Amino acid sequence: MARSTTKYVCTECGYQSAKPLGRCPNCQAWNSFEEEAPSVSAPKGRGGAYGGVVGGKLTPLSAVGRREEPRTSSGIPELDRVLGGGLVAGGVTLMGGEPGIGKSTLLLQVADQVARGGGTVLYVAGEESLEQIRLRADRLGVTADLQLTRDTRAEHVAALMAEHKPALCIVDSIQTVTVEGEGAPGGVAQVRDGTSLLTRAAKETGTATVLVGHVTKDGTVAGPKVMEHIVDTTVFLETVGAFRLLRSVKNRFGQAGELGVFEMRGEGLIAVENPSAAFLAERPVGVPGSVVAATIDGQRPMLLEVQALASKTPYPNARRVVVGLDPRRVDVVLAVLERRLDLTLGGLDVYVNLAGGLKVPDPGLDLAVALAVYSAVVGRALPGNVAVFGEVGLAGEVRSTQAALRRAEEAGRAGYTRLIVPPGLDGVAGVKSVEEAVGAVWAAAGSRA
């Protein structure tokens, strides 16, 4: 006899439970569990453990042909960089981000570029009226003729893809897509099955498809986790200061971790071609406590400013305030400065900041933190042509970091002619310890003041 099993699924993160819970143990959301339609398991047949079912056809790996996935440029170089070279025919991309951050704006710009290049674009508007999209298109200067629909039934969208075979299909958003017989829109089963159906349609028609996804309070895509496994690429749009960062966290057709930088203007999201110059544009020159650091965010090298300030504390215990960096790593660097360089920090409040609003957990910023704090305490500014990177160990040694050559090349392109870095780079005299680094920075004016 067939038997059915009932399970409850968190609508925020997809966590499953045999009974409804008031609070999700995975994402801590309250009252987020919904009952999912019971699945029916058939009884075993008499033909053995699998009911006499014959297995499918096997294909040797050597018999599988090689095929390069064709790509279409989005018309926006920063987006092509994040996607690994452009939109892949038949590839499905999931884009997440906070409400109002610019997801729809960016995708409407992409749709305009693809349509101008001769490709048909299908835009599924699940959250806005067609008139609202027209108003945004006028503001962004969109002149291409896009194909719009308010029909969010997954079966109908798949049929439109099969009929018109567009080069690009944008679904805004996947939480508004419905599948017949699966309950209310936005439910776990609806989102999961809708994603699966549209992905299958994209593969069959060769349509590059972008799904916009809502995010939860902790910034992850709302819905079952299996949705992120179904799609080929997952990207997130986030706000950092005056900029928008587009970051890839999964990419079957390219390298994950790529980063694109945009700036929101009246005409839409504009790509920032030189992020290093943008983040260093307001850096004060000749001020103690300011150091230019070459870092890696994802797979992208950038130059950022590490700032430090030290002041006499009025409290019994000195304060340590860190913004944008790992506070535990900064504590380690401060301990090394006190122990290895005899720098007195016990009576000082120390503030360390990564300017620009970025949060970068890069060990290669250790040496920049050390020099910034030292500069702030002794009151001596670093020369303006110095860039720094390197990890600091507990013995005061300066260790090598990942992508050292790419960091050095980025510093060279920005005009920084002196590098204070670990040994190993051709043509650069590296430093082996924090003491050597301090001596190398202020060698011309004497070691320590």
Side-chain angles (χ1 to χ4, degrees), residues 126-164:
E127 299 187 348
E128 298 177 298
S129 67
L130 301 185
E131 290 75 15
Q132 286 176 305
I133 296 177
R134 178 59 188 268
L135 287 175
R136 182 185 294 114
D138 291 342
R139 177 173 59 85
L140 299 178
V142 174
T143 57
D145 201 9
L146 312 179
Q147 303 301 315
L148 310 179
T149 180
R150 285 276 295 159
D151 191 344
T152 57
R153 290 169 290 182
E155 298 87 353
H156 291 206
V157 174
L160 288 173
M161 294 169 66
E163 179 182 355
H164 299 282

Side-chain angles (χ1 to χ4, degrees), residues 310-330:
S311 62
K312 187 176 180 180
T313 181
Y315 307 105
N317 297 319
R319 302 180 64 189
R320 302 288 185 258
V321 179
V322 180
V323 180
L325 298 163
D326 186 348
R328 291 172 295 184
R329 297 201 67 88
V330 172

Side-chain angles (χ1 to χ4, degrees), residues 156-239:
H156 291 206
V157 174
L160 288 173
M161 294 169 66
E163 179 182 355
H164 299 282
K165 291 184 171 52
L168 173 63
C169 177
I170 297 172
V171 180
D172 189 4
S173 67
I174 187 61
Q175 274 77 17
T176 63
V177 171
T178 60
V179 179
E180 187 177 357
E182 294 290 355
V188 172
Q190 287 277 14
V191 173
R192 180 194 61 211
D193 294 345
T195 302
S196 180
L197 195 154
L198 293 178
T199 299
R200 184 165 63 250
K203 304 298 182 186
E204 293 174 353
T205 61
T207 301
T209 304
V210 181
L211 310 177
V212 176
H214 295 169
V215 296
T216 61
K217 291 180 291 185
D218 60 354
T220 59
V221 177
K225 199 67 177 177
V226 68
M227 179 174 61
E228 297 182 45
H229 293 284
I230 294 174
V231 301
D232 300 305
T233 305
T234 303
V235 298
F236 283 93
L237 191 63
E238 58 189 67
T239 301

Side-chain angles (χ1 to χ4, degrees), residues 78-426:
E78 284 293 291
L79 179 58
D80 287 345
R81 176 193 183 100
V82 175
L83 297 177
L87 298 164
V88 177
V92 181
T93 301
L94 177 63
M95 177 180 290
E98 295 291 334
I101 199 172
K103 302 184 295 297
S104 300
T105 297
L106 177 61
L107 292 178
L108 197 56
Q109 292 176 248
V110 173
D112 183 44
Q113 294 293 331
V114 173
R116 285 185 184 183
T120 303
V121 178
L122 172 62
Y123 195 107
V124 181
E127 299 187 348
E128 298 177 298
S129 67
L130 301 185
E131 290 75 15
Q132 286 176 305
I133 296 177
R134 178 59 188 268
L135 287 175
R136 182 185 294 114
D138 291 342
R139 177 173 59 85
L140 299 178
V142 174
T143 57
D145 201 9
L146 312 179
Q147 303 301 315
L148 310 179
T149 180
R150 285 276 295 159
D151 191 344
T152 57
R153 290 169 290 182
E155 298 87 353
H156 291 206
V157 174
L160 288 173
M161 294 169 66
E163 179 182 355
H164 299 282
K165 291 184 171 52
L168 173 63
C169 177
I170 297 172
V171 180
D172 189 4
S173 67
I174 187 61
Q175 274 77 17
T176 63
V177 171
T178 60
V179 179
E180 187 177 357
E182 294 290 355
V188 172
Q190 287 277 14
V191 173
R192 180 194 61 211
D193 294 345
T195 302
S196 180
L197 195 154
L198 293 178
T199 299
R200 184 165 63 250
K203 304 298 182 186
E204 293 174 353
T205 61
T207 301
T209 304
V210 181
L211 310 177
V212 176
H214 295 169
V215 296
T216 61
K217 291 180 291 185
D218 60 354
T220 59
V221 177
K225 199 67 177 177
V226 68
M227 179 174 61
E228 297 182 45
H229 293 284
I230 294 174
V231 301
D232 300 305
T233 305
T234 303
V235 298
F236 283 93
L237 191 63
E238 58 189 67
T239 301
V240 174
F243 302 101
R244 303 289 196 273
L245 302 186
L246 184 66
R247 192 186 307 273
S248 68
V249 297
K250 172 191 174 182
N251 194 347
R252 288 176 179 159
F253 305 115
Q255 194 168 19
E258 287 289 356
L259 183 71
V261 184
F262 298 85
E263 184 178 3
M264 179 63 82
R265 299 179 185 172
E267 59 271 27
L269 282 174
I270 306 302
V272 178
E273 297 181 358
N274 189 349
S276 296
F279 282 111
L280 294 177
E282 299 179 356
R283 175 182 176 248
V285 179
V287 176
S290 175
V291 176
V292 174
T295 185
I296 292 285
D297 192 343
Q299 300 293 331
R300 184 162 197 168
M302 288 191 298
L303 299 182
L304 301 174
E305 181 191 4
V306 176
Q307 299 176 327
L309 177 66
S311 62
K312 187 176 180 180
T313 181
Y315 307 105
N317 297 319
R319 302 180 64 189
R320 302 288 185 258
V321 179
V322 180
V323 180
L325 298 163
D326 186 348
R328 291 172 295 184
R329 297 201 67 88
V330 172
D331 286 340
V332 169
V333 172
L334 297 182
V336 170
L337 290 176
E338 286 193 294
R339 182 68 175 175
R340 306 298 176 186
L341 272 72
D342 296 326
L343 194 66
T344 303
L345 300 175
L348 299 176
D349 289 334
V350 178
Y351 304 86
V352 180
N353 175 45
L354 188 61
L358 279 171
K359 294 181 180 180
V360 184
D362 178 19
L365 293 173
D366 289 354
L367 186 57
V369 172
L371 293 178
V373 173
Y374 186 90
S375 169
V377 173
V378 302
R380 301 183 64 181
L382 274 74
N385 62 341
V386 172
V388 177
F389 65 85
E391 180 181 354
V392 174
L394 291 178
E397 77 277 16
V398 178
R399 296 172 173 263
S400 59
T401 61
Q402 64 164 335
L405 181 59
R406 293 167 61 192
R407 297 175 193 244
E409 290 174 346
E410 180 68 17
R413 281 193 294 267
Y416 291 88
T417 56
R418 290 184 60 195
L419 296 178
I420 309 299
V421 299
L425 279 177
D426 293 338

